[in-house]
């Protein structure tokens, strides 16, 4: 939409490769089930901001047994024994046997060892820290990579430049982004597309004259995807079009659908006060852009009209706001529901997708990263990512 020399962009999205199965018989009674909770158990690091806090925390992953966890900090990956989490048992940094790789970025443990991703490649390590093999990164056009056990990858195609979106009309092929199985064969890279999804609706975008500003849509309900490398699959979560129901589909290399489920999630109305807060926040961003890049000002009503034209405001909050595939062979989905005891998560068991999902309450501040069958693993950090890793024990209702 073009108005008064101002370009605004607010779009929707849809997944274009999937079909859905009938709703399970348990769906109608799902909201009445009892809710699980958690309690503190294992802690690595001090309280956020304290002298003993871990700095620049980014991730934590567990092995299937829960005996080891892998913690990622900036430029550092450490392995810990959960029975005695006082000091790491292994550390990966700029190692002498991996000079081409640079700094470690993240790690994935399994029963036999660890894959560690570095700036410029991957290293496969045994449980004692020995380098077993290495693998190069896929070409730059592929992002959000996850390595599989055979050294091939699941990856998402690079997103288009946000500024190009102002010239695209509805249905432009640039919106469609591929998720593929990428592998190196006989000196060249081969990519087999597993799915295409429409990427519209993620960004709030405004252009005034030659200046542009981009940020996230606060109520975006576009399709989400995740890379479930532990089970060699890419997952999709459809958040729009089915009030109270979220389809979850996983596709494996070879285009085999390995998971096809529908999760009943209680819809939450978007209150007018919350919408007004979002409008005010985006108005401040547009006004900053005008002052910084053009030196111009517009009236409050003009800025509000620009923001309302670019801001996506649905009637309901997104049904799901986060998705985490876990080593427990589950998919955890955070809903927009709030409980006095914390955020409501729905847990889909991949071994029995027809079973009713569990509901688990986690503290609002807890950043879930992984789960075993008896613990959830996540971060308690401040705005500077200083804090601790927590393993919270799951408690039955």
């Amino acid at each position: 939409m073009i108005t008064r020399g101002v370009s605004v962009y607010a779009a929707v999205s849809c997944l274009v490769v999937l079909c859905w199965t009938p709703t399970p018989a348990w769906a109608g009674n799902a909201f009445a089930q009892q809710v699980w909770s958690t309690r503190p158990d294992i802690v690595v690091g001090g309280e956020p901001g304290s002298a003993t806090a871990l700095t620049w925390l980014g991730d934590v992953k567990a092995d299937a047994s829960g005996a080891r966890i892998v913690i990622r900090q900036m430029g550092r990956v450490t392995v810990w024994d959960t029975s005695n989490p006082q000091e790491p048992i292994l550390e990966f940094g700029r190692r002498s046997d991996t000079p081409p790789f640079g700094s470690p970025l993240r790690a994935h443990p399994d029963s036999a060892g660890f894959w560690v991703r570095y700036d410029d490649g991957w290293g496969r390590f045994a449980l004692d820290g020995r380098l077993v093999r290495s693998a190069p990164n896929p070409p730059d056009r592929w992002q959000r990579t996850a390595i599989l056990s055979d050294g091939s990858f699941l990856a998402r195609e690079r997103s288009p430049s946000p500024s190009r979106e102002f010239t695209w009309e509805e249905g432009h092929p640039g919106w469609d982004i591929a998720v593929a199985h990428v592998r190196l064969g006989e000196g060249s890279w081969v990519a087999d597309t597993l799915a295409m999804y429409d990427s519209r609706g993620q960004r709030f975008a405004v252009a005034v004259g030659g200046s542009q500003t981009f940020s996230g849509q606060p109520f975006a309900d576009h399709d989400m995807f995740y890379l479930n490398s532990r089970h060699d699959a890419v997952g999709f979560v459809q958040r729009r079009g089915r009030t109270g129901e979220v389809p979850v589909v996983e596709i494996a290399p070879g285009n085999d659908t390995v998971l096809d489920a529908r999760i009943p999630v209680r819809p939450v109305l978007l209150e007018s006060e919350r919408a007004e807060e979002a409008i005010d926040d985006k108005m401040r961003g547009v006004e900053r852009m005008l002052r910084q890049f053009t030196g111009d000002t517009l009236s409050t009503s003009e800025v509000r009209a620009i923001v309302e034209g670019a801001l996506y405001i649905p009637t309901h909050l997104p049904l799901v706001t986060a998705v985490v595939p876990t080593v427990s062979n589950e998919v955890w989905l955070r809903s927009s529901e709030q409980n006095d005891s914390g955020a409501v998560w729905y847990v889909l068991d991949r071994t029995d997708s027809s079973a009713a999902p569990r509901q688990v309450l986690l503290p609002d501040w807890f950043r879930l990263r992984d789960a075993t069958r008896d613990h959830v693993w996540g971060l308690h950090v401040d705005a500077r990512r200083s804090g601790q890793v927590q393993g919270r024990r799951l408690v039955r209702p």
Side-chain angles (χ1 to χ4, degrees), residues 9 141 143 156-168 172-177 199-200 202-205 212-214:
Y9 159 59
R141 66 169 290 207
Q143 298 182 322
R156 187 203 68 187
E157 191 175 23
R158 181 182 292 274
S159 298
S161 169
S163 60
R164 296 179 61 186
E165 296 169 357
F166 289 109
T167 65
W168 290 350
H172 190 284
W175 300 119
D176 297 329
I177 296 180
S199 65
R200 292 173 298 173
Q202 301 180 58
R203 281 187 287 262
F204 170 87
Q212 301 172 345
T213 182
F214 302 92

Side-chain angles (χ1 to χ4, degrees), residues 60 88 137 190 206 263 327 339 343 378 382 394:
V60 57
N137 281 327
V190 179
V206 168
I263 308 302
V327 72
N339 183 286
D382 60 19
L394 287 160

Side-chain angles (χ1 to χ4, degrees), residues 155-397:
R156 187 203 68 187
E157 191 175 23
R158 181 182 292 274
S159 298
S161 169
S163 60
R164 296 179 61 186
E165 296 169 357
F166 289 109
T167 65
W168 290 350
E169 298 178 353
E170 187 80 11
H172 190 284
W175 300 119
D176 297 329
I177 296 180
V179 181
H181 179 222
V182 183
R183 64 193 188 281
L184 184 61
E186 298 183 358
S188 62
W189 288 93
V190 179
D192 299 318
T193 299
L194 300 179
M196 300 288 295
Y197 74 99
D198 193 321
S199 65
R200 292 173 298 173
Q202 301 180 58
R203 281 187 287 262
F204 170 87
V206 168
V208 180
S211 300
Q212 301 172 345
T213 182
F214 302 92
S215 57
Q217 288 279 4
F219 310 117
D221 55 5
H222 58 279
D223 301 314
M224 304 174 75
F225 86 98
Y226 58 91
L227 301 176
N228 194 348
S229 60
R230 284 158 166 158
H231 301 287
D232 292 358
V234 57
F236 297 90
V237 179
Q238 190 178 49
R239 302 190 292 171
R240 176 185 284 135
R242 296 175 179 271
T243 302
E245 183 179 80
V246 178
V248 181
V249 172
E250 289 186 5
I251 303 173
N255 292 308
D256 296 325
T257 299
V258 294
L259 176 67
D260 192 344
R262 293 182 179 185
I263 308 302
V265 178
R266 183 181 289 108
V268 178
L269 284 171
L270 173 56
E271 297 178 350
S272 59
E273 293 83 357
R274 190 162 177 179
E276 283 297 322
E277 290 175 359
I279 292 172
D280 291 343
D281 177 67
K282 297 303 184 184
M283 286 178 64
R284 288 191 290 269
V286 172
E287 289 166 345
R288 283 194 300 270
M289 178 194 70
L290 291 171
R291 290 194 302 269
Q292 182 175 357
F293 296 109
T294 69
D296 297 330
T297 58
L298 297 176
S299 68
T300 299
S301 60
E302 288 176 311
V303 174
R304 184 180 179 90
I306 292 170
V307 168
E308 289 182 342
L311 191 63
Y312 174 59
I313 304 181
T315 57
H316 291 78
L317 292 171
L319 290 174
V320 171
T321 60
V323 55
V324 179
T326 62
V327 72
S328 57
N329 207 8
E330 297 167 323
V331 179
W332 288 61
L333 303 106
R334 179 171 178 166
S335 78
S336 289
E337 301 170 60
Q338 281 295 315
N339 183 286
D340 291 342
S341 300
V344 179
W345 288 76
Y346 289 77
V347 186
L348 171 63
D349 189 341
R350 293 179 75 258
T351 64
D352 185 5
S353 60
S354 64
R358 285 185 296 157
Q359 293 182 36
V360 182
L361 293 179
L362 297 179
D364 288 319
W365 47 260
F366 184 77
R367 301 187 183 185
L368 178 69
R369 293 292 186 267
D370 208 351
T372 58
R373 288 293 177 170
D374 53 9
H375 281 80
V376 290
W377 292 94
L379 311 178
H380 182 204
V381 295
D382 60 19
R384 301 178 68 178
R385 291 193 287 163
S386 164
Q388 59 190 197
V389 169
Q390 288 195 8
R392 300 181 65 86
R393 183 173 292 277
L394 287 160
V395 179
R396 290 179 177 273

Side-chain angles (χ1 to χ4, degrees), residues 50 56 61 140 176 332 341:
S50 69
W56 296 109
K61 296 295 182 185
D140 287 343
D176 297 329
W332 288 61
S341 300

